[in-house]
Amino acid sequence: AEKTPILEMRNVVSAYGRIQALKGISLKVYDGEIVSIIGANGAGKSTTLMTICNIVKAVQGDILYRGERINNVNSDILPTMGLCQVPEGRRIFPRLTVLENLDMGAFFRTDAGGVKDDVERVFDLFPKLRERRKQLGGTLSGGEQQMLAMARALMSRPKVLLLDEPSMGLAPLLVKQIFDIVKMINEQGVTVVLVEQNANLALQAASRGYVLETGNVVMEDDAKKLLANPDIRKAYLGE
Ligand code: ATP
């Protein structure tokens, strides 16, 4: 028998008003994977993550997390179930310190000792944040804010992390750092769904990938095969 995916979308449709952004998306994510979702501007990548999190409502289809239908679970509850999104544009708390931002990521946890240990663990992943722990979030550089957003999400001890464009607006060296950290997070047991404009890096980091076009999945395959596919190379990898 086939393994149960940790996260699955079955024929999911979602819309902004009358405009259908997702036209029947089906995808599966298995425990321990990094799955990348690539596609042009406006293809529906961000909407896919927002629909999983019930920030945008699915008007049709099923969203399953660990075998349970989550279509109607409030987006605020999902992190307490281990499903956590890092939205595009980061959205850290600019007037709170780095440490306070991290505490917010753990707001629902009752194991104070565990939270304290996890602060140290995320500081080990992001040493820059340890240096700046007393600094206000809003005074961090773009790359540091991205790191803080990811670190804050990790404070909820996610099983599945949904990352929306983590490389957006970052210098190439920082982009590489962020991807290295994504791989480290995954190696620590967190399943990752990665939405990226930078298809090349996203597919290099992933085990499998989905290609979206105007709200539909047009291709899904092992990331290596997608990287080697001439059509993909031409359309998404700048060849
Ligand atoms: P990008 O990388 O530009 O964010 P994307 O692949 O993530 O692209 P989405 O942002 O998911 O694409 O957009 C999918 C479709 O939904 C597009 O046609 C877009 O114009 C539309 N859309 C996105 N957000 C809204 C919104 N808040 N209101 C109305 N339409 C929207």
Side-chain angles (χ1 to χ4, degrees):
E2 204 193 339
K3 253 192 334 184
T4 310
I6 190 163
L7 180 68
E8 182 174 4
M9 298 174 88
R10 288 187 189 155
N11 212 18
V12 171
V13 175
S14 67
Y16 298 100
R18 292 181 146 185
I19 301 167
Q20 269 192 6
L22 305 188
K23 297 175 181 164
I25 298 279
S26 295
L27 59 82
K28 292 178 179 178
V29 179
Y30 292 97
D31 194 12
E33 282 193 303
I34 298 180
V35 170
S36 288
I37 301 175
I38 65 167
N41 262 325
K45 304 181 299 296
S46 298
T47 303
T48 299
L49 296 192
M50 289 195 287
T51 305
I52 292 170
C53 292
N54 203 8
I55 295 164
V56 175
K57 187 98 196 135
V59 293
Q60 197 181 299
D62 300 311
I63 302 158
L64 302 163
Y65 172 62
R66 301 169 95 179
E68 189 186 335
R69 193 171 188 273
I70 57 164
N71 290 50
N72 299 315
V73 177
N74 192 294
S75 58
D76 296 338
I77 302 298
L78 291 169
T80 72
M81 298 167 64
L83 181 61
C84 194
Q85 190 199 10
V86 180
E88 194 175 345
R90 293 142 195 147
R91 274 179 258 156
I92 51 127
F93 299 106
R95 288 162 189 277
L96 298 184
T97 67
V98 166
L99 260 177
E100 288 164 344
N101 266 278
L102 294 180
D103 281 337
M104 293 298 277
F107 74 94
F108 61 85
R109 288 176 58 181
T110 51
D111 56 325
V115 170
K116 230 173 158 201
D117 291 346
D118 285 353
V119 169
E120 293 309 314
R121 285 198 334 176
V122 301
F123 281 161
D124 289 343
L125 270 178
F126 303 99
K128 263 268 141 50
L129 296 181
R130 178 179 274 126
E131 286 170 34
R132 305 203 186 289
R133 64 188 175 280
K134 299 203 170 132
Q135 209 169 306
L136 296 182
T139 68
L140 301 179
S141 71
E144 290 162 356
Q145 289 190 26
Q146 178 61 48
M147 290 178 185
L148 180 55
M150 286 167 63
R152 187 180 59 185
L154 289 176
M155 291 302 297
S156 70
R157 289 222 174 163
K159 298 217 45 93
V160 178
L161 195 59
L162 309 174
L163 292 176
D164 197 350
E165 302 270 4
S167 78
M168 194 173 59
L170 302 184
L173 199 66
L174 264 176
V175 171
K176 195 187 167 297
Q177 265 184 42
I178 293 278
F179 273 85
D180 285 344
I181 291 167
V182 169
K183 282 185 257 181
M184 277 157 67
I185 290 169
N186 175 251
E187 280 158 16
Q188 294 178 5
V190 181
T191 304
V192 176
V193 182
L194 183 59
V195 156
E196 258 295 335
Q197 206 64 250
N198 190 329
N200 198 13
L201 278 176
L203 291 175
Q204 281 178 36
S207 51
R208 291 188 307 116
Y210 287 82
V211 183
L212 296 195
E213 255 173 41
T214 59
N216 292 298
V217 173
V218 293
M219 208 183 291
E220 61 177 281
D221 211 336
D222 289 341
K224 281 202 178 73
K225 288 190 185 152
L226 290 175
L227 272 172
N229 182 314
D231 293 334
I232 299 290
R233 300 197 68 82
K234 216 179 282 161
Y236 301 107
L237 304 174
E239 281 189 8

